[in-house]
Each structure stands twice: as C-alpha cells, then as structure tokens.
Amino acid sequence: MDTSWLADLIEIEKHGSFSKAAVARNISVSALSRRIQQLEAWARHPLVERSEHPVRLTAQGRQVLLVAKAVTLELDLLRHQLGGGTGNVDPIRFLMPTSASVAIFPRLLSLLQQELGALSINLIPSNFRDVMHRFQGGEAEFALYYNCEMYLPRIPFEGTPSLVIVQDVLLPVARDAAAASERRHNQWRIVMLDDSSYLGQVAHAAMLRHQVAYTVTITGSQIMATRQFALEGMGVAWLPASLVADDLKAKRLVRVLPKIPAIPIQLHVVRQPLQLNAGHEAVWQQLQKWSRSGGFLNFSNSFA
C-alpha cells in the first residue's frame, strides 16, 4: 500500500469530488481514480460511493479515513522532527532513466540552480516502463525519457507537454577493438542492455539494420554495469555519448563499428498537465527556454 493513496482519500472526503481532489493532489482525475481503486483493492472493500453527488465515503471508507488522517499526521510530525519540515518549499520530483540521472541530471540541476537559486529536488531513477507508470500515477511533477526517431520512435506521454532538452547520440564503444571481437567466428562480442531498456532496443534494431554479426556475452538492465563491463574488456556496449564522453577522451574506451553512424537520441522532459506551484512552474519555464535554443546539452556534433 502506498501512503499517497491515503492522502488521496483525505482530499476526496474533503472536497466531495474526484475532479477537485485531483486538482488538490496535482494529478489527473484518471490517475486519482486508479489510485483509489488500488486502495480499495488493498482494503478489499469499496471506499467511495461514486453514485452520490457530491461523492461520499462508504462506512469502510470512513474507517480507513480515520487511520489515513492519523498516519499522515504522524508522518508529517516525523518529517518535521527529522529536519524535513523546516521551510515551506515543496520538493521538485523528477523521474528519469538511470543513465540520465548519472550523466545529465547533475549538470541540469547545476544550471537550474544558477538561474533559479537553491532547489529542493527528489530524484527518482528507474527504467522507462517504471518511469511512465509512476509519472502517470502522479508520483512526480516531471519525467525525463529518451526518444530515437531513426530506429524506434516513441508515442509521447498522452496529454502532457513535452520538450527536448538534450541532443545526444548512442555509440558502440569498447575497451579496444581486439577485446571486443570474436576472431574465430568473425563476430563482435556484445554487452547488451536487455529489452526492458529502451536504449537496448534501439541498439538491437541498429545492429539488425546494419547486419552486424555478433554474439551476446552479457545482458542486463543496469546501464552503469554495462559501461563497467565495456571498461573491463568484455565486449561492445551501446551507450549514450553523455555517459561515455569522458571515457572516450581519456581513451578508456574507443568507438568501434565505424560503419554504423552515431544514432541520434533526444532526451525529453514532460510535466504534469495540471497547474503546478510557482516554484515548479519556474523550473518548467527555464526548461522551455533551453528547449527553444536547441537544448542545454548537445553531443550530436562532437560524435557524429
């Protein structure tokens, strides 16, 4: 059970309306409805009488409401005791792929704070499927995701404003060409991100299109582990230039498969469609400025 569901129930009881409660919780009505359904599944009882206008809680809902208010109050008091309750600044929550959280977000945050001052940030790295699910459930104000128009174009988040903030490229890299090739069978040894990784799917599509002969030596979902395997000489890894630019400069890694051009990928940011508070809106406005100028980072020219 997610404690955010309890806060949802409190707002529904307070406003007598799913739409007004969704505005108060800064999520869509559909996301709020899904979360209440999850809470009802947990409780094994209907908690909201939806046929009433205004909506009201069932008897079981009122029981859960008493606990919900007590739990949220205790959590707020604990947060204050731990030092998280000082000031009135709501954290700005970002969901994003793990690679972006390592290679992109620290630079993004530094630039945002230069423009807007100190920011309270909650960073939530995960894979794209989890990012999409949690963002649509209202767990963050912003989400970052990769898109590759050349090989695997993505349908954007439905009904959400989206910006391109980074022009990146996906590159095949290895410690050295000899370590990455299987001479006996004239194949490349590949350290592959699995199908849960969008970038892994793009890399697989690129090798199929260019008829690369390869054998997969290691698969996994963690991009930082994939980078480390490449550094250890275990094969070719397809990784964003933003993640391996320093490795290439220091010659810890080299670019291989020279017949395949660098694959353009873009890092998008989406926001919740409802009105955010002033601090969150200021972040969005700054992201819009960078997007209009082509993004705050561009690796496409350096690694074309």
Side-chain angles (χ1 to χ4, degrees), residues 27 35 91-102 104-105 108 121-146 157 165 267-272 280 287:
I27 59 176
R35 288 175 13 172
I92 303 169
R93 298 171 297 176
F94 281 86
L95 283 154
M96 67 190 68
T98 303
S99 59
S101 73
V102 174
I104 301 292
F105 194 72
L108 173 61
I121 297 293
N122 183 5
L123 169 61
I124 312 168
S126 190
N127 61 52
F128 174 74
R129 292 173 187 171
D130 192 45
V131 166
M132 179 173 65
H133 176 74
R134 296 176 71 174
F135 179 76
Q136 291 177 333
E139 294 187 34
E141 289 74 36
F142 302 102
L144 276 59
Y145 69 95
Y146 285 110
F157 285 88
I165 57 170
L267 188 67
H268 292 243
V269 59
V270 292
R271 57 162 287 172
Q272 294 292 350
H280 296 64
L287 293 171

Side-chain angles (χ1 to χ4, degrees), residues 50-63:
R50 293 164 174 80
S51 62
E52 300 276 338
H53 296 283
V55 298
R56 63 179 180 84
L57 302 188
T58 64
Q60 294 87 356
R62 290 191 295 273
Q63 287 182 279

Side-chain angles (χ1 to χ4, degrees), residues 70 103 113 120 169 202 231 246 259:
Q113 294 192 141
S120 176
V169 291
V202 172
L231 288 167
D246 290 342
K259 294 183 180 180

Side-chain angles (χ1 to χ4, degrees), residues 14-251:
K14 177 180 177 181
H15 295 283
S17 163
F18 271 78
S19 59
K20 291 180 180 178
V23 171
R25 294 291 290 148
N26 197 28
I27 59 176
S28 67
V29 175
S30 59
L32 178 68
S33 180
R34 285 195 300 271
R35 288 175 13 172
I36 291 299
Q37 289 171 3
Q38 290 173 303
L39 182 59
E40 289 175 323
W42 174 86
R44 299 180 182 177
H45 285 283
L47 303 179
V48 180
E49 182 53 69
R50 293 164 174 80
S51 62
E52 300 276 338
H53 296 283
V55 298
R56 63 179 180 84
L57 302 188
T58 64
Q60 294 87 356
R62 290 191 295 273
Q63 287 182 279
V64 175
L65 180 69
L66 292 174
V67 176
K69 288 182 174 179
V71 168
T72 54
L73 177 61
E74 288 296 324
L75 289 174
D76 287 344
L77 289 173
L78 177 60
R79 182 169 177 263
H80 182 80
Q81 292 168 2
L82 295 174
T86 57
N88 297 314
V89 179
D90 292 330
I92 303 169
R93 298 171 297 176
F94 281 86
L95 283 154
M96 67 190 68
T98 303
S99 59
S101 73
V102 174
I104 301 292
F105 194 72
R107 284 180 269 191
L108 173 61
L109 179 57
S110 177
L111 290 173
L112 282 172
Q113 294 192 141
Q114 288 177 32
E115 297 291 336
L116 304 175
L119 298 172
S120 176
I121 297 293
N122 183 5
L123 169 61
I124 312 168
S126 190
N127 61 52
F128 174 74
R129 292 173 187 171
D130 192 45
V131 166
M132 179 173 65
H133 176 74
R134 296 176 71 174
F135 179 76
Q136 291 177 333
E139 294 187 34
E141 289 74 36
F142 302 102
L144 276 59
Y145 69 95
Y146 285 110
N147 185 54
C148 177
E149 292 291 338
M150 181 179 291
Y151 286 97
L152 206 63
R154 240 178 199 155
I155 299 173
F157 285 88
E158 184 178 357
T160 56
S162 176
L163 305 170
V164 175
I165 57 170
V166 176
Q167 301 287 347
D168 209 339
V169 291
L170 196 62
L171 301 171
V173 297
R175 189 179 68 186
D176 57 71
S181 60
E182 180 64 63
R183 295 178 182 175
R184 185 171 53 183
H185 301 290
N186 196 28
Q187 292 182 329
W188 292 94
R189 299 165 61 238
I190 302 292
V191 181
M192 181 66 81
L193 288 164
D194 63 26
D195 285 343
S196 69
S197 164
Y198 175 75
L199 297 183
Q201 294 177 41
V202 172
H204 184 254
M207 290 190 295
L208 286 177
R209 182 180 298 182
H210 290 274
Q211 299 181 330
V212 175
Y214 68 93
T215 180
V216 176
T217 58
I218 302 172
T219 59
S221 60
Q222 297 299 317
I223 197 165
M224 296 307 295
T226 301
R227 169 183 169 271
Q228 190 61 40
F229 288 136
L231 288 167
E232 296 293 336
M234 297 184 182
V236 178
W238 287 83
L239 298 170
S242 56
L243 185 64
V244 296
D246 290 342
D247 294 320
L248 292 167
K249 185 177 179 180
K251 301 189 184 306

